[in-house]
Amino acid sequence: QVQLVESGGGSVQPGGSLRLSCTVSGSFVRINVMSWYRQAPGKQRESVAQLHATGTTIYASTVEGRFAISRDNAGNTAYLQMHSLKPDDTAVYYCNVNAYDLTIGSRDYWGQGTQVTVSS
């Protein structure tokens, strides 16, 4: 089983910055992809940023140049650094990990979500 614990959400004024963290624990052989998604009220959950094991990063066009996804040297904590935040960035942000286990293969795991509110 794999557990994800998120932290770092909160309220910030437009133009401000926040950093989200996602720590992964449990039983797995490797992490294939670490991702951040978000879901605003009344909207579908959308992908914000992905970090593949190869080092490839993919960003939604709406956050390109403002957000950066990274992971620590141990590889078990993902970060989402967010700059120049806008009211449209207000959402619940979810960490997602695609991890490989010898028993069940690759599957997705989700964090509990953390609220980010951008408002003046």
Side-chain angles (χ1 to χ4, degrees), residues 71-117:
R71 63 196 290 181
D72 68 348
N73 289 336
N76 290 349
T77 298
Y79 302 100
L80 184 68
Q81 180 68 55
M82 305 182 291
H83 295 297
S84 302
L85 283 161
K86 306 174 182 180
D88 284 349
D89 295 319
T90 295
V92 177
Y93 284 69
Y94 296 90
C95 179
N96 171 279
V97 166
N98 183 277
Y100 175 76
D101 177 82
L102 289 173
T103 303
I104 60 177
S106 293
R107 61 163 288 183
D108 284 336
Y109 300 88
W110 291 91
Q112 79 281 6
T114 185
Q115 178 71 45
V116 171
T117 302

Side-chain angles (χ1 to χ4, degrees), residues 12-120:
V12 64
Q13 292 186 340
S17 299
L18 282 174
R19 189 177 81 158
L20 307 181
S21 300
C22 172
T23 299
V24 185
S25 62
S27 177
F28 55 91
V29 174
R30 67 173 181 269
I31 294 174
N32 297 317
V33 188
M34 304 182 91
S35 305
W36 289 95
Y37 286 73
R38 68 185 181 187
Q39 187 167 19
K43 295 186 178 181
Q44 290 189 335
R45 191 172 297 189
E46 61 176 357
S47 176
V48 174
Q50 301 174 21
L51 174 58
H52 293 250
T54 57
T56 299
T57 55
I58 301 173
Y59 295 96
S61 60
T62 53
V63 306
E64 184 90 48
R66 299 188 297 121
F67 291 12
I69 186 171
S70 61
R71 63 196 290 181
D72 68 348
N73 289 336
N76 290 349
T77 298
Y79 302 100
L80 184 68
Q81 180 68 55
M82 305 182 291
H83 295 297
S84 302
L85 283 161
K86 306 174 182 180
D88 284 349
D89 295 319
T90 295
V92 177
Y93 284 69
Y94 296 90
C95 179
N96 171 279
V97 166
N98 183 277
Y100 175 76
D101 177 82
L102 289 173
T103 303
I104 60 177
S106 293
R107 61 163 288 183
D108 284 336
Y109 300 88
W110 291 91
Q112 79 281 6
T114 185
Q115 178 71 45
V116 171
T117 302
V118 185
S119 173
S120 56

